Each structure stands twice: as structure tokens, then as C-alpha cells.
């Protein structure tokens, strides 16, 4: 199981109030990893990234998707390693160009899984 699949598994286990659909789509390149539905009947997507450093790698298709669909799209990045004080960073999809350029140095809208969960739980309220 790859690192992004492990992150997906963790989210499904920890965020039981959400409904997750894992999108494995080779015909629509760049589609985010997860389609999520919260208790407020609100849909959004999450792109999962795992990195050992500060840089995040995105395909041109992933960048194009988030540029075309800037609303209700999010990117959750997990930083691995002992120096990763804030292991989980969440960004709005609308910031993908900055995120691709700056990596985890870019200010996140949420730090930590609890903060990400609380933020996403309030969408559509």
C-alpha cells in the first residue's frame, strides 16, 4: 500500500462522519483522489499528497483541474519525517499554483488533521 493510500485509509478511519469515494480515474487525468460528502450535505474533493521534504509534486493535469475548479477543492499534504512538526497541511485548491511553487512553505488554511476535519465539517453550514 502506497503512502497516499495509507493517508486515505487514515482519513476514512478517523473521519467517520464523512462519506468518502476514492476516485481512481485514468480517463479523466488530474481528477482529485477523493470525493467527500459531509453532514451538511456538501460535496468537495481532496487531493492527497505525501512528501518527505517541503516540495510537493503535481502533474500538469492536477494543476489544470484545480485551476479550472477552484471552489470546494482541497489538497491535504502529509509531511513525513522526524522534523515535521505539523505533519498535516491543508490548502484550498485555488492555491495550487502557489503550492506547486512554494511547497509546504506556503501558509496552509489548516494545520493538523483535527483542524482540517473541523474546517471541512463546517462547509455548507
Amino acid at each position: 500500500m502506497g503512502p497516499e493510500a495509507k493517508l486515505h485509509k487514515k482519513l476514512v478511519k478517523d473521519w467517520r462522519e464523512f462519506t468518502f469515494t476514492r476516485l481512481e480515474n485514468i480517463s479523466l487525468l488530474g481528477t482529485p483522489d477523493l470525493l467527500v460528502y459531509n453532514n451538511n450535505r456538501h460535496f468537495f474533493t481532496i487531493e492527497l499528497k505525501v512528501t518527505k521534504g517541503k516540495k510537493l509534486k503535481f502533474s500538469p493535469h492536477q494543476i489544470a483541474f484545480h485551476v479550472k475548479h477552484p471552489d470546494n477543492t482541497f489538497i491535504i499534504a502529509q509531511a513525513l519525517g522526524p522534523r515535521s512538526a505539523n505533519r498535516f497541511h491543508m490548502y484550498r485548491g485555488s492555491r495550487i499554483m502557489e503550492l506547486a511553487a512554494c511547497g509546504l512553505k506556503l501558509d496552509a488554511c489548516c494545520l493538523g488533521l483535527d483542524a482540517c476535519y473541523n474546517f471541512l465539517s463546517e462547509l455548507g453550514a
Side-chain angles (χ1 to χ4, degrees), residues 6-67:
K6 288 179 184 175
L7 177 54
H8 166 248
K9 189 174 180 179
K10 178 170 182 50
L11 295 182
V12 169
K13 179 179 168 252
D14 293 350
W15 295 358
R16 295 182 186 270
E17 292 79 18
F18 293 170
T19 302
F20 291 91
T21 302
R22 181 124 169 117
L23 303 174
E24 298 286 345
N25 198 335
I26 59 171
S27 62
L28 292 172
L29 298 175
T31 303
D33 298 309
L34 304 174
L35 177 64
V36 187
Y37 189 67
N38 70 11
N39 284 341
N40 298 322
R41 299 181 176 186
H42 192 81
F43 278 106
F44 52 94
T45 63
I46 299 176
E47 177 66 38
L48 301 174
K49 291 292 179 187
V50 178
T51 183
K52 292 181 181 175
K54 298 268 186 210
K55 285 286 190 186
L56 295 171
K57 295 180 183 178
F58 296 98
S59 74
H61 299 288
Q62 289 172 322
I63 292 171
F65 180 92
H66 285 90
V67 168

Side-chain angles (χ1 to χ4, degrees), residues 60-124:
H61 299 288
Q62 289 172 322
I63 292 171
F65 180 92
H66 285 90
V67 168
K68 187 173 181 178
H69 307 285
D71 299 325
N72 299 317
T73 60
F74 299 91
I75 299 155
I76 294 180
Q78 179 182 15
L80 301 176
R83 290 198 215 163
S84 303
N86 291 308
R87 291 186 40 194
F88 298 96
H89 305 247
M90 187 171 79
Y91 302 89
R92 294 181 180 275
S94 60
R95 300 195 70 195
I96 194 161
M97 297 295 285
E98 296 167 272
L99 188 55
C102 300
L104 298 181
K105 293 178 185 175
L106 184 67
D107 288 334
C109 66
C110 296
L111 289 173
L113 279 184
D114 289 342
C116 296
Y117 173 80
N118 291 335
F119 181 93
L120 296 171
S121 292
E122 295 299 317
L123 292 176

